[in-house]
Amino acid sequence: MRIRTITFILSLLVCNLSLAQNADRILIDGNFEDWTVNSDLVQTFLDPIGDASVVDIEKLELANDEEYLFLHLILSAEIDLVDNFTPATRFDLFIDSDNDSNTGLSINGIGAEYMIDFYDRRVLSYASNGFYTELSFYDIGYAHLPTVTSDEFEFLIKRNQNSSASIGEDLKIYLRETIHDDETEVLSYKMKDDMPAFEEISMAKPNLDHFRLFTFNTLQDGLLDDDQRYQILRLIQAADPDIVHLNEVYNTNASYVKNQLETILGGTWYAHKYNGENIVASRFPLLSIYEIYYGRLGAALIDLPDSDFDKDLLAVVGHLSCCGNDDNRQDQVDAFIEFLADAKDPGGLLELEEGTPMLFSGDMNFVGNDDQVNTVIDGNIANNNLYGPDTKPDWGNGDFADFRPNHIATPKAATWNTRYPDPGDYPTGRLDFVFYGPSALQPRNGFVLDTRDLSDELLAENGLLQSDSYFASDHLPLVTDFSLVGATEVTNSLFEAVSIYPNPASEAIYIQGDIEWKSYAIKDLLGRVVGSGPVTSNSIECSGLAPGVYMVELYEKDKKGKSKLIIE
């Protein structure tokens, strides 16, 4: 590797425009600082301290934008909101969505159109005659974070439902907990119009000194299933990653993934399948491979190109045990910390160069106890007899950081949902994570790719269909961009992104924007020019091209534009 001096700066302290997006509003990402930073957008209700034993409601906050009602709940003790966990709780949230005590369920002086029953994981939608319809969390656009035990939760509920009972401008809220006998007073709230609109997150990776990671659970060998394969490949193609981590690839082999990536993205790819069901694939050579926990965790040392990066990358992929298996998950994250301790220690199995960037991504299945999340971040091992002493995961005895990207067009960070929801099903949650060592890695951009959120224009620009995320998997792709700490920002200004339509196309394409482009070149994924000529009336004829993926390059004096093109 080409070596130069790097100034280490904690990534949490470095300002970056892409990550500063939407900092002036509420986001449902499990990071609660926005409720304090943007307190002028929030209405706060304080509950009397000590009026309940074991679990006491302390604070409930409300906010809204044009599309969602947001809630923030603070308790005196950690609980699992939607699962039977010690201490057991039974919370019910009543929403009088029209501020009319004569409609809905009559309770505590209000007429509730909705009762959200967290214990039974269901929503009761009450009609004016008192009869109710049982709904799932998904029917009201509900989500909450975190999915693990906590004394603090945040929620969103879609204001305009498909049912007859939507959430109006004036409402009343009443929260009760029946096992430990606590409740709030009836809270009045009026919708506001002062929250800034959610700013759409760019899918572009415009910088040369960034690498892009694509993390995805393929749902039981989805790449081998005709009902999922093409959707998954379109998602990967739209993200255009440099490194791919895949889970649940039980019968999918590495050579198949390599060939698919070379077909849709071009260039040479390297891939390895770990024991069990995880695959790493990379545009960059895989220098060495390590099995950390059989069937669950594996690591690769990746040779980042010397032209843009000063060090190699240690990338760990994981698919931790599902559901109620807290003990197994804890065992697996303990093994992860033991591996990092060995890798950083001279004379171990893997001797990492001081300051090597490190990340850990995959479907973590973090539900139930929050200890496993904390172990990954702070290195506190539960079973020291088996896995050794507690060890901070990052260089300089530092913690790992948790990257929390939001959806491209929606203020939430959830990455999982059940595909066929019924009352009693778990709500959409954040199960897929990217952790990183902030001493060496700087997060630059990130997003959860849910095609159901995207505009028709954005779908067309990226060759996606609205239904792709739904049919691909019950998980959503997590896409994250990183640079090395201390690296000089190198902007790829040779080409600017250009929008074309229709895309996919079969005959002519049209170029959007004010620039009058003079000429064009169409290249295949191997970089070969398959078409060129003058641009006429901002259109290009492409009927002679075979079906596939191409890059369109546009030229006008000192300006250059580029767009991906899909031919049907």
Side-chain angles (χ1 to χ4, degrees):
M1 299 298 300
R2 178 170 50 88
I3 304 298
R4 70 183 180 196
T5 302
I6 295 180
T7 302
F8 290 92
I9 307 171
L10 283 178
S11 65
L12 297 178
L13 302 179
V14 178
C15 178
N16 182 269
L17 288 178
S18 63
L19 296 180
Q21 273 184 290
N22 299 304
D24 57 352
R25 55 159 296 132
I26 300 299
L27 303 171
I28 305 303
D29 57 5
N31 180 5
F32 308 108
E33 293 178 0
D34 48 346
W35 290 90
T36 300
V37 172
N38 303 303
S39 59
D40 56 318
L41 305 175
V42 174
Q43 188 168 336
T44 300
F45 301 94
L46 298 177
D47 196 64
I49 301 296
D51 61 342
S53 61
V54 186
V55 178
D56 186 18
I57 300 170
E58 294 186 351
K59 181 190 292 187
L60 183 63
E61 296 186 307
L62 287 86
N64 72 275
D65 63 11
E66 291 186 354
E67 192 170 1
Y68 294 100
L69 173 67
F70 306 102
L71 297 94
H72 176 215
L73 174 64
I74 296 180
L75 306 170
S76 64
E78 289 193 356
I79 67 165
D80 188 326
L81 191 62
V82 294
D83 233 333
N84 186 14
F85 202 83
T86 303
T89 58
R90 185 153 196 158
F91 278 93
D92 299 313
L93 178 68
F94 299 90
I95 303 175
D96 184 348
S97 60
D98 60 3
N99 196 18
D100 185 348
S101 60
N102 296 313
T103 60
L105 172 69
S106 179
I107 184 167
N108 205 18
I110 68 173
E113 277 69 38
Y114 290 114
M115 170 188 168
I116 300 178
D117 177 354
F118 295 100
Y119 184 86
D120 289 323
R121 299 190 293 272
R122 62 178 185 163
V123 178
L124 304 184
S125 176
Y126 285 89
S128 57
N129 58 9
F131 289 99
Y132 67 82
T133 302
E134 189 177 31
L135 306 174
S136 76
F137 284 134
Y138 297 81
D139 291 317
I140 64 168
Y142 169 93
H144 82 258
L145 289 176
T147 55
V148 294
T149 54
S150 179
D151 57 3
E152 197 167 0
F153 298 91
E154 56 184 358
F155 317 79
L156 63 73
I157 302 169
K158 203 169 180 63
R159 289 176 58 181
N160 296 315
Q161 308 299 332
N162 294 324
S163 62
S164 58
S166 295
I167 298 178
E169 294 293 322
D170 291 280
L171 61 148
K172 285 186 167 64
I173 299 280
Y174 166 58
L175 177 68
R176 73 179 183 189
E177 199 287 310
T178 55
I179 293 180
H180 305 286
D181 193 24
D182 197 13
E183 63 181 357
T184 66
E185 61 184 67
V186 172
L187 312 174
S188 297
Y189 183 75
K190 183 177 180 61
M191 296 289 184
K192 305 175 184 178
D193 59 4
D194 55 352
M195 185 173 293
F198 185 83
E199 183 180 347
E200 187 175 88
I201 299 171
S202 172
M203 292 178 63
K205 190 190 77 172
N207 298 92
L208 296 175
D209 67 340
H210 296 183
F211 66 84
R212 171 162 286 184
L213 172 68
F214 182 95
T215 300
F216 188 54
N217 182 321
T218 66
L219 183 59
Q220 300 176 354
D221 282 310
L223 281 170
L224 302 181
D225 189 322
D226 288 342
D227 293 330
Q228 297 171 251
R229 177 189 308 120
Y230 304 106
Q231 290 86 349
I232 293 173
L233 292 177
R234 279 196 293 268
L235 293 170
I236 295 175
Q237 189 175 62
D240 193 19
D242 303 302
I243 301 168
V244 175
H245 279 168
L246 299 177
N247 306 131
E248 291 197 18
V249 283
Y250 305 102
N251 299 303
T252 309
N253 61 50
S255 61
Y256 176 82
V257 170
K258 166 185 163 66
N259 292 336
Q260 292 293 323
L261 293 177
E262 289 179 347
T263 298
I264 64 172
L265 298 176
T268 300
W269 280 76
Y270 307 85
H272 174 80
K273 182 173 182 178
Y274 299 97
N275 290 327
E277 41 124 335
N278 295 313
I279 283 179
V280 58
S282 170
R283 291 186 184 274
F284 319 122
L286 306 177
L287 297 175
S288 51
I289 297 293
Y290 305 90
E291 297 283 350
I292 301 174
Y293 193 102
Y294 187 88
R296 292 296 178 181
L297 295 169
L301 188 62
I302 298 176
D303 185 11
L304 297 180
D306 293 356
S307 57
D308 298 313
F309 302 94
D310 291 297
K311 293 185 181 296
D312 299 323
L313 170 72
L314 182 67
V316 181
V317 58
H319 183 204
L320 307 187
S321 295
C322 180
C323 313
N325 295 304
D326 276 305
D327 291 343
N328 288 346
R329 277 194 301 275
Q330 186 63 54
D331 209 43
Q332 290 150 19
V333 296
D334 282 358
F336 166 71
I337 295 299
E338 180 193 38
F339 171 78
L340 288 191
D342 178 83
K344 294 186 297 177
D345 185 28
L349 173 66
L350 165 61
E351 291 193 36
L352 286 182
E353 179 185 349
E354 178 81 22
T356 295
M358 302 178 291
L359 61 81
F360 176 29
S361 81
D363 174 8
M364 303 297 175
N365 276 315
F366 285 147
V367 296
N369 199 302
D370 67 345
D371 287 348
Q372 300 117 50
V373 186
N374 297 331
T375 294
V376 174
I377 291 174
D378 64 20
N380 186 8
I381 291 174
N383 190 341
N384 296 111
N385 290 331
L386 184 59
Y387 295 105
D390 300 347
T391 305
K392 291 289 187 180
D394 200 12
W395 300 101
N397 201 33
D399 289 348
F400 259 26
D402 177 6
F403 201 169
R404 302 170 183 264
N406 278 268
H407 286 222
I408 291 172
T410 309
K412 62 181 179 182
T415 65
W416 174 88
N417 52 256
T418 186
R419 302 171 88 189
Y420 309 104
D422 287 311
D425 285 337
Y426 287 95
T428 181
R430 180 172 172 251
L431 301 184
D432 305 86
F433 286 69
V434 176
F435 298 101
Y436 65 96
S439 69
L441 279 179
Q442 168 72 33
R444 292 296 185 177
N445 189 30
F447 53 87
V448 177
L449 180 51
D450 189 346
T451 53
R452 292 164 293 188
D453 295 340
L454 306 186
S455 65
D456 291 342
E457 181 181 12
L458 195 56
L459 290 168
E461 284 178 11
N462 291 279
L464 293 165
L465 302 178
Q466 198 98 47
S467 60
D468 280 344
S469 294
Y470 177 81
F471 287 110
S473 176
D474 55 353
H475 288 255
L476 297 168
L478 190 53
V479 183
T480 48
D481 295 333
F482 289 95
S483 65
L484 302 193
V485 167
T488 303
E489 191 81 354
V490 181
T491 302
N492 183 4
S493 58
L494 296 178
F495 290 92
E496 62 178 81
V498 174
S499 296
I500 59 175
Y501 71 95
N503 195 6
S506 57
E507 297 179 355
I509 57 172
Y510 299 88
I511 307 164
Q512 294 180 314
D514 298 328
I515 299 176
E516 294 185 4
W517 300 102
K518 301 300 183 185
S519 61
Y520 73 90
I522 300 177
K523 298 181 179 180
D524 65 15
L525 291 178
L526 297 178
R528 299 174 297 197
V529 176
V530 295
S532 62
V535 176
T536 305
S537 300
N538 266 4
S539 68
I540 298 172
E541 177 62 37
C542 55
S543 58
L545 295 177
V549 181
Y550 300 87
M551 293 303 301
V552 179
E553 296 180 1
L554 301 166
Y555 308 96
E556 199 283 317
K557 294 183 180 179
D558 59 344
K559 294 185 176 67
K560 296 181 181 181
K562 179 180 284 189
S563 179
K564 184 184 296 182
L565 169 64
I566 298 174
I567 298 295
E568 296 180 317

